Amino acid sequence: MKSQYFTEEHELFRQSVRQFFDKEVVPNADKWEQERRIPKEIFQKMGEQGYLGINFSEEFGGINADFWYSVVFLEELGRTNLAGFTTAVSVHQYMAINHIAEVGSYELKQQYLAPAIRGEKVAALGITEPGTGSDVANITTKAERDGDHYVINGSKTFISNGTYGDFITLACKTAPQMGMGGISLIVVDLDAPGVTRTKLNKMGWHSSDTAEISFDNVRVPLSNIIGQENMGFYYLMGSLQLERLVAAIMAVPGAQGIVDHTLQYLHERQAFNRPLAKFQVIRHTIAELSTEIEMARQMVYNSCWLHSEGEVIVKEASMAKLYASELVNRTVDRCLQFFGGYGYMEDYPICRMYRDARVGTIAGGTSEIMKEIISKVVIDGVKFGAVYQGNNKKSTAK
Ligand SMILES: Cc1cc2nc3c(=O)[nH]c(=O)nc-3n(C[C@H](O)[C@H](O)[C@H](O)COP(=O)(O)OP(=O)(O)OC[C@H]3O[C@@H](n4cnc5c(N)ncnc54)[C@H](O)[C@@H]3O)c2cc1C
């Protein structure tokens, strides 16, 4: 479909990303799901293509492209309909290393950002703890100064890339008495002494590894602080709008993929001497879902445009994440129904899509939290300011 947002160059980039995923990822979906992990080599292959540093500086190996290249990349990720893989890659590039790229020191960029862009090191983001998820200000993992080191104690849970990843952008309390103003982001090597990782067993997203990680007197140089001490909460809030936008961008082609996959079945499967695609009730459901997907797509593109114009899009990103992730769930629930009993069988990809969709309204901020944020803006008139926006270079598109 023609779009006002993408240039010919963006579309050429789309073709190359699509070919890459069709060759390197889609055929491996079942294997990676069964093995409950993604091989690290796929990160290296993406690194070689420049896919892991799309908006980052060339000095550290990035390609310094405009934000619409990221939109293309994320849409193609979503199109794989392999949510475990899309999570691993999007967390790495848009939720973990982006903080280092934005405010990290030159040394941190050399030591962690550059190898992450090359795909040699895989990154995780550690905010959620066993005792608190939505309420970020109440985390209790502590980093205390001891000479030229921090000593870290505490635990994190539900951490994507947590088992096989190489390092984590860790949210810790450096001034526990200061609440949200006492949080810092610190880079921690995941093989450091005192780090214990336990892989978690999930309903879906099987190919992404998700871990509980405990930190027992883990010593980290003071120089591993990302940006300024005690600014971590604001950095996180600044990037959460990008995180939510990223989730929404990937959700739209995910929903579209579910419909496209279902349409194939509706044309093939017969009942009462007709293909299922000829039953009006099914046709109307597909028509409704397609309309909603198009609405979500336009909403997401508008949010991307505002983001690329440097606007603070806390409200728009929250709305886009809320609407798109709920839509994926509605879409897969209705589509699975049309597969009849086969939809409930693991051999059918719709079964995995159903399992994978469920967490979309939970991870990266729940639907309830999205509604809380939207309410604050539209009811209470709260205005959010920019901390940093990340990745929002303007497109050359007219
Ligand atoms: C597969 C997976 C991968 C994840 N990856 C990561 C990761 O890489 N890094 C990371 O840091 N975290 C990660 N998470 C954690 C995720 O972001 C949290 O699960 C999420 O933010 C919710 O936190 P919680 O699970 O502690 O739920 P809680 O905060 O305990 O919430 C429980 C319920 O209460 C509701 N609730 C809470 N507060 C309010 C309120 N004020 N008003 C109304 N309702 C409310 C919530 O919406 C939810 O329904 C991941 C989670 C999963 C499942």
mmCIF file of all heavy atoms in Angstrom, residues 100 103-112 145-151 185-189 219-229:
data_model
loop_
_atom_site.group_PDB
_atom_site.id
_atom_site.type_symbol
_atom_site.label_atom_id
_atom_site.label_comp_id
_atom_site.label_asym_id
_atom_site.label_seq_id
_atom_site.Cartn_x
_atom_site.Cartn_y
_atom_site.Cartn_z
ATOM 1 N N ILE A 100 22.415 3.488 26.790
ATOM 2 C CA ILE A 100 23.867 3.713 26.680
ATOM 3 C C ILE A 100 24.136 4.674 25.520
ATOM 4 O O ILE A 100 24.944 5.593 25.628
ATOM 5 C CB ILE A 100 24.619 2.369 26.473
ATOM 6 C CG1 ILE A 100 24.284 1.399 27.603
ATOM 7 C CG2 ILE A 100 26.133 2.602 26.392
ATOM 8 C CD1 ILE A 100 24.852 -0.005 27.419
ATOM 9 N N VAL A 103 22.922 8.408 26.790
ATOM 10 C CA VAL A 103 23.616 9.152 27.850
ATOM 11 C C VAL A 103 24.824 8.428 28.429
ATOM 12 O O VAL A 103 25.408 8.889 29.408
ATOM 13 C CB VAL A 103 22.643 9.518 29.012
ATOM 14 C CG1 VAL A 103 21.672 10.600 28.588
ATOM 15 C CG2 VAL A 103 21.903 8.295 29.542
ATOM 16 N N GLY A 104 25.187 7.285 27.848
ATOM 17 C CA GLY A 104 26.341 6.536 28.361
ATOM 18 C C GLY A 104 27.654 7.243 28.043
ATOM 19 O O GLY A 104 27.735 8.040 27.101
ATOM 20 N N SER A 105 28.681 6.915 28.822
ATOM 21 C CA SER A 105 30.005 7.507 28.585
ATOM 22 C C SER A 105 30.612 6.909 27.316
ATOM 23 O O SER A 105 30.170 5.857 26.828
ATOM 24 C CB SER A 105 30.931 7.201 29.767
ATOM 25 O OG SER A 105 31.152 5.792 29.818
ATOM 26 N N TYR A 106 31.674 7.553 26.838
ATOM 27 C CA TYR A 106 32.367 7.063 25.645
ATOM 28 C C TYR A 106 32.873 5.640 25.892
ATOM 29 O O TYR A 106 32.757 4.762 25.032
ATOM 30 C CB TYR A 106 33.542 8.005 25.325
ATOM 31 C CG TYR A 106 34.259 7.640 24.054
ATOM 32 C CD1 TYR A 106 33.744 7.998 22.819
ATOM 33 C CD2 TYR A 106 35.448 6.909 24.106
ATOM 34 C CE1 TYR A 106 34.402 7.641 21.649
ATOM 35 C CE2 TYR A 106 36.109 6.553 22.937
ATOM 36 C CZ TYR A 106 35.577 6.922 21.709
ATOM 37 O OH TYR A 106 36.222 6.557 20.569
ATOM 38 N N GLU A 107 33.401 5.399 27.095
ATOM 39 C CA GLU A 107 33.956 4.067 27.417
ATOM 40 C C GLU A 107 32.845 3.011 27.401
ATOM 41 O O GLU A 107 33.022 1.920 26.873
ATOM 42 C CB GLU A 107 34.624 4.084 28.807
ATOM 43 C CG GLU A 107 35.938 4.837 28.864
ATOM 44 C CD GLU A 107 35.769 6.352 28.710
ATOM 45 O OE1 GLU A 107 34.695 6.881 29.110
ATOM 46 O OE2 GLU A 107 36.676 6.998 28.164
ATOM 47 N N LEU A 108 31.677 3.358 27.994
ATOM 48 C CA LEU A 108 30.567 2.387 27.986
ATOM 49 C C LEU A 108 30.117 2.098 26.562
ATOM 50 O O LEU A 108 29.764 0.970 26.222
ATOM 51 C CB LEU A 108 29.372 2.921 28.778
ATOM 52 C CG LEU A 108 29.358 2.747 30.290
ATOM 53 C CD1 LEU A 108 28.006 3.185 30.847
ATOM 54 C CD2 LEU A 108 29.669 1.318 30.704
ATOM 55 N N LYS A 109 30.150 3.141 25.738
ATOM 56 C CA LYS A 109 29.742 2.943 24.341
ATOM 57 C C LYS A 109 30.702 1.996 23.633
ATOM 58 O O LYS A 109 30.285 1.128 22.863
ATOM 59 C CB LYS A 109 29.654 4.289 23.616
ATOM 60 C CG LYS A 109 28.442 5.093 24.056
ATOM 61 C CD LYS A 109 28.380 6.438 23.387
ATOM 62 C CE LYS A 109 27.150 7.198 23.888
ATOM 63 N NZ LYS A 109 27.173 8.611 23.567
ATOM 64 N N GLN A 110 31.989 2.179 23.913
ATOM 65 C CA GLN A 110 32.968 1.287 23.273
ATOM 66 C C GLN A 110 32.856 -0.143 23.792
ATOM 67 O O GLN A 110 32.911 -1.103 23.033
ATOM 68 C CB GLN A 110 34.373 1.793 23.574
ATOM 69 C CG GLN A 110 34.812 2.880 22.612
ATOM 70 C CD GLN A 110 36.277 3.194 22.801
ATOM 71 O OE1 GLN A 110 36.756 3.236 23.926
ATOM 72 N NE2 GLN A 110 36.973 3.400 21.711
ATOM 73 N N GLN A 111 32.653 -0.243 25.110
ATOM 74 C CA GLN A 111 32.699 -1.558 25.754
ATOM 75 C C GLN A 111 31.408 -2.354 25.555
ATOM 76 O O GLN A 111 31.440 -3.579 25.481
ATOM 77 C CB GLN A 111 32.957 -1.344 27.249
ATOM 78 C CG GLN A 111 33.615 -2.520 27.930
ATOM 79 C CD GLN A 111 33.791 -2.241 29.420
ATOM 80 O OE1 GLN A 111 33.848 -1.066 29.834
ATOM 81 N NE2 GLN A 111 33.862 -3.290 30.212
ATOM 82 N N TYR A 112 30.264 -1.654 25.495
ATOM 83 C CA TYR A 112 28.986 -2.378 25.452
ATOM 84 C C TYR A 112 28.151 -2.052 24.209
ATOM 85 O O TYR A 112 27.590 -2.950 23.589
ATOM 86 C CB TYR A 112 28.162 -2.094 26.717
ATOM 87 C CG TYR A 112 28.801 -2.673 27.951
ATOM 88 C CD1 TYR A 112 29.583 -1.882 28.791
ATOM 89 C CD2 TYR A 112 28.653 -4.023 28.257
ATOM 90 C CE1 TYR A 112 30.192 -2.421 29.922
ATOM 91 C CE2 TYR A 112 29.255 -4.579 29.394
ATOM 92 C CZ TYR A 112 30.027 -3.767 30.215
ATOM 93 O OH TYR A 112 30.627 -4.317 31.329
ATOM 94 N N ARG A 145 27.761 2.362 47.065
ATOM 95 C CA ARG A 145 29.158 2.667 46.738
ATOM 96 C C ARG A 145 30.105 2.016 47.739
ATOM 97 O O ARG A 145 29.849 2.031 48.948
ATOM 98 C CB ARG A 145 29.382 4.187 46.777
ATOM 99 C CG ARG A 145 28.924 4.899 45.520
ATOM 100 C CD ARG A 145 29.001 6.398 45.739
ATOM 101 N NE ARG A 145 28.625 7.104 44.513
ATOM 102 C CZ ARG A 145 29.520 7.679 43.696
ATOM 103 N NH1 ARG A 145 30.802 7.638 43.975
ATOM 104 N NH2 ARG A 145 29.099 8.309 42.621
ATOM 105 N N ASP A 146 31.191 1.456 47.199
ATOM 106 C CA ASP A 146 32.256 0.915 48.047
ATOM 107 C C ASP A 146 33.563 1.185 47.299
ATOM 108 O O ASP A 146 33.919 0.452 46.374
ATOM 109 C CB ASP A 146 32.043 -0.590 48.270
ATOM 110 C CG ASP A 146 33.138 -1.191 49.128
ATOM 111 O OD1 ASP A 146 33.778 -0.432 49.902
ATOM 112 O OD2 ASP A 146 33.382 -2.403 49.004
ATOM 113 N N GLY A 147 34.249 2.272 47.650
ATOM 114 C CA GLY A 147 35.458 2.677 46.925
ATOM 115 C C GLY A 147 35.091 3.062 45.503
ATOM 116 O O GLY A 147 34.179 3.866 45.272
ATOM 117 N N ASP A 148 35.780 2.437 44.548
ATOM 118 C CA ASP A 148 35.475 2.789 43.153
ATOM 119 C C ASP A 148 34.514 1.783 42.507
ATOM 120 O O ASP A 148 34.493 1.616 41.297
ATOM 121 C CB ASP A 148 36.762 2.924 42.327
ATOM 122 C CG ASP A 148 37.652 1.702 42.457
ATOM 123 O OD1 ASP A 148 37.214 0.736 43.124
ATOM 124 O OD2 ASP A 148 38.773 1.715 41.912
ATOM 125 N N HIS A 149 33.727 1.105 43.356
ATOM 126 C CA HIS A 149 32.741 0.145 42.844
ATOM 127 C C HIS A 149 31.354 0.412 43.442
ATOM 128 O O HIS A 149 31.238 1.034 44.491
ATOM 129 C CB HIS A 149 33.154 -1.293 43.204
ATOM 130 C CG HIS A 149 34.212 -1.833 42.293
ATOM 131 N ND1 HIS A 149 35.520 -1.429 42.365
ATOM 132 C CD2 HIS A 149 34.151 -2.750 41.280
ATOM 133 C CE1 HIS A 149 36.232 -2.071 41.439
ATOM 134 N NE2 HIS A 149 35.421 -2.868 40.765
ATOM 135 N N TYR A 150 30.336 -0.098 42.724
ATOM 136 C CA TYR A 150 29.015 -0.278 43.338
ATOM 137 C C TYR A 150 28.930 -1.729 43.775
ATOM 138 O O TYR A 150 29.460 -2.625 43.086
ATOM 139 C CB TYR A 150 27.889 -0.054 42.326
ATOM 140 C CG TYR A 150 27.691 1.378 41.899
ATOM 141 C CD1 TYR A 150 28.027 1.789 40.615
ATOM 142 C CD2 TYR A 150 27.127 2.307 42.773
ATOM 143 C CE1 TYR A 150 27.824 3.096 40.203
ATOM 144 C CE2 TYR A 150 26.921 3.623 42.367
ATOM 145 C CZ TYR A 150 27.275 4.011 41.090
ATOM 146 O OH TYR A 150 27.071 5.301 40.684
ATOM 147 N N VAL A 151 28.231 -1.974 44.881
ATOM 148 C CA VAL A 151 27.943 -3.351 45.299
ATOM 149 C C VAL A 151 26.429 -3.517 45.176
ATOM 150 O O VAL A 151 25.656 -2.784 45.809
ATOM 151 C CB VAL A 151 28.414 -3.598 46.750
ATOM 152 C CG1 VAL A 151 28.079 -5.025 47.164
ATOM 153 C CG2 VAL A 151 29.905 -3.332 46.863
ATOM 154 N N LEU A 185 20.653 3.815 36.471
ATOM 155 C CA LEU A 185 20.827 2.717 35.523
ATOM 156 C C LEU A 185 22.311 2.358 35.485
ATOM 157 O O LEU A 185 23.153 3.235 35.268
ATOM 158 C CB LEU A 185 20.359 3.119 34.118
ATOM 159 C CG LEU A 185 18.889 3.509 33.961
ATOM 160 C CD1 LEU A 185 18.576 3.801 32.492
ATOM 161 C CD2 LEU A 185 17.970 2.415 34.497
ATOM 162 N N ILE A 186 22.588 1.090 35.676
ATOM 163 C CA ILE A 186 23.982 0.631 35.742
ATOM 164 C C ILE A 186 24.131 -0.584 34.828
ATOM 165 O O ILE A 186 23.263 -1.468 34.813
ATOM 166 C CB ILE A 186 24.354 0.251 37.203
ATOM 167 C CG1 ILE A 186 24.209 1.477 38.116
ATOM 168 C CG2 ILE A 186 25.764 -0.318 37.289
ATOM 169 C CD1 ILE A 186 24.401 1.196 39.589
ATOM 170 N N VAL A 187 25.237 -0.624 34.080
ATOM 171 C CA VAL A 187 25.496 -1.791 33.231
ATOM 172 C C VAL A 187 26.167 -2.872 34.072
ATOM 173 O O VAL A 187 27.184 -2.609 34.730
ATOM 174 C CB VAL A 187 26.414 -1.431 32.045
ATOM 175 C CG1 VAL A 187 26.691 -2.668 31.200
ATOM 176 C CG2 VAL A 187 25.790 -0.343 31.185
ATOM 177 N N VAL A 188 25.596 -4.073 34.038
ATOM 178 C CA VAL A 188 26.157 -5.193 34.804
ATOM 179 C C VAL A 188 26.375 -6.374 33.861
ATOM 180 O O VAL A 188 25.469 -6.748 33.105
ATOM 181 C CB VAL A 188 25.195 -5.630 35.945
ATOM 182 C CG1 VAL A 188 25.806 -6.759 36.766
ATOM 183 C CG2 VAL A 188 24.837 -4.452 36.841
ATOM 184 N N ASP A 189 27.588 -6.947 33.920
ATOM 185 C CA ASP A 189 27.850 -8.162 33.136
ATOM 186 C C ASP A 189 27.081 -9.316 33.759
ATOM 187 O O ASP A 189 27.134 -9.517 34.976
ATOM 188 C CB ASP A 189 29.357 -8.489 33.156
ATOM 189 C CG ASP A 189 30.127 -7.539 32.253
ATOM 190 O OD1 ASP A 189 29.728 -7.365 31.093
ATOM 191 O OD2 ASP A 189 31.115 -6.948 32.735
ATOM 192 N N ARG A 219 29.939 -6.787 42.365
ATOM 193 C CA ARG A 219 30.765 -5.573 42.319
ATOM 194 C C ARG A 219 30.892 -5.082 40.877
ATOM 195 O O ARG A 219 31.269 -5.834 39.976
ATOM 196 C CB ARG A 219 32.160 -5.847 42.898
ATOM 197 C CG ARG A 219 32.122 -6.173 44.384
ATOM 198 C CD ARG A 219 33.528 -6.357 44.944
ATOM 199 N NE ARG A 219 34.259 -5.090 45.029
ATOM 200 C CZ ARG A 219 34.113 -4.211 46.006
ATOM 201 N NH1 ARG A 219 33.271 -4.441 46.985
ATOM 202 N NH2 ARG A 219 34.820 -3.094 46.012
ATOM 203 N N VAL A 220 30.558 -3.813 40.709
ATOM 204 C CA VAL A 220 30.555 -3.210 39.371
ATOM 205 C C VAL A 220 31.292 -1.876 39.461
ATOM 206 O O VAL A 220 31.030 -1.090 40.387
ATOM 207 C CB VAL A 220 29.092 -2.949 38.907
ATOM 208 C CG1 VAL A 220 29.069 -2.274 37.565
ATOM 209 C CG2 VAL A 220 28.304 -4.241 38.861
ATOM 210 N N PRO A 221 32.210 -1.569 38.527
ATOM 211 C CA PRO A 221 32.913 -0.274 38.602
ATOM 212 C C PRO A 221 31.938 0.908 38.565
ATOM 213 O O PRO A 221 30.914 0.839 37.861
ATOM 214 C CB PRO A 221 33.795 -0.267 37.344
ATOM 215 C CG PRO A 221 33.836 -1.672 36.868
ATOM 216 C CD PRO A 221 32.621 -2.375 37.375
ATOM 217 N N LEU A 222 32.262 1.971 39.291
ATOM 218 C CA LEU A 222 31.398 3.162 39.290
ATOM 219 C C LEU A 222 31.203 3.694 37.867
ATOM 220 O O LEU A 222 30.175 4.279 37.538
ATOM 221 C CB LEU A 222 32.012 4.271 40.147
ATOM 222 C CG LEU A 222 32.107 4.022 41.659
ATOM 223 C CD1 LEU A 222 32.712 5.250 42.351
ATOM 224 C CD2 LEU A 222 30.765 3.682 42.269
ATOM 225 N N SER A 223 32.213 3.438 37.025
ATOM 226 C CA SER A 223 32.142 3.951 35.646
ATOM 227 C C SER A 223 31.064 3.249 34.813
ATOM 228 O O SER A 223 30.793 3.653 33.686
ATOM 229 C CB SER A 223 33.503 3.808 34.965
ATOM 230 O OG SER A 223 33.921 2.460 35.039
ATOM 231 N N ASN A 224 30.434 2.204 35.368
ATOM 232 C CA ASN A 224 29.350 1.528 34.619
ATOM 233 C C ASN A 224 28.003 2.233 34.757
ATOM 234 O O ASN A 224 26.997 1.764 34.227
ATOM 235 C CB ASN A 224 29.212 0.074 35.081
ATOM 236 C CG ASN A 224 30.194 -0.827 34.358
ATOM 237 O OD1 ASN A 224 31.241 -0.360 33.924
ATOM 238 N ND2 ASN A 224 29.866 -2.093 34.215
ATOM 239 N N ILE A 225 27.976 3.350 35.473
ATOM 240 C CA ILE A 225 26.728 4.121 35.570
ATOM 241 C C ILE A 225 26.382 4.676 34.184
ATOM 242 O O ILE A 225 27.251 5.128 33.446
ATOM 243 C CB ILE A 225 26.892 5.275 36.596
ATOM 244 C CG1 ILE A 225 25.548 5.993 36.823
ATOM 245 C CG2 ILE A 225 27.921 6.301 36.166
ATOM 246 C CD1 ILE A 225 24.808 5.478 37.985
ATOM 247 N N ILE A 226 25.104 4.600 33.836
ATOM 248 C CA ILE A 226 24.663 5.164 32.551
ATOM 249 C C ILE A 226 24.132 6.573 32.828
ATOM 250 O O ILE A 226 23.158 6.746 33.572
ATOM 251 C CB ILE A 226 23.552 4.300 31.906
ATOM 252 C CG1 ILE A 226 24.035 2.852 31.723
ATOM 253 C CG2 ILE A 226 23.106 4.897 30.577
ATOM 254 C CD1 ILE A 226 22.983 1.914 31.141
ATOM 255 N N GLY A 227 24.793 7.573 32.264
ATOM 256 C CA GLY A 227 24.370 8.960 32.503
ATOM 257 C C GLY A 227 24.674 9.358 33.934
ATOM 258 O O GLY A 227 25.685 8.956 34.509
ATOM 259 N N GLN A 228 23.743 10.121 34.523
ATOM 260 C CA GLN A 228 23.993 10.631 35.879
ATOM 261 C C GLN A 228 23.364 9.740 36.931
ATOM 262 O O GLN A 228 22.285 9.178 36.712
ATOM 263 C CB GLN A 228 23.375 12.014 36.023
ATOM 264 C CG GLN A 228 24.077 13.095 35.239
ATOM 265 C CD GLN A 228 23.313 14.409 35.351
ATOM 266 O OE1 GLN A 228 22.814 14.747 36.409
ATOM 267 N NE2 GLN A 228 23.219 15.114 34.259
ATOM 268 N N GLU A 229 24.034 9.675 38.070
ATOM 269 C CA GLU A 229 23.479 8.932 39.191
ATOM 270 C C GLU A 229 22.136 9.555 39.607
ATOM 271 O O GLU A 229 21.972 10.782 39.557
ATOM 272 C CB GLU A 229 24.471 8.960 40.364
ATOM 273 C CG GLU A 229 24.274 7.832 41.337
ATOM 274 C CD GLU A 229 25.348 7.789 42.412
ATOM 275 O OE1 GLU A 229 25.334 8.658 43.305
ATOM 276 O OE2 GLU A 229 26.213 6.891 42.354
#
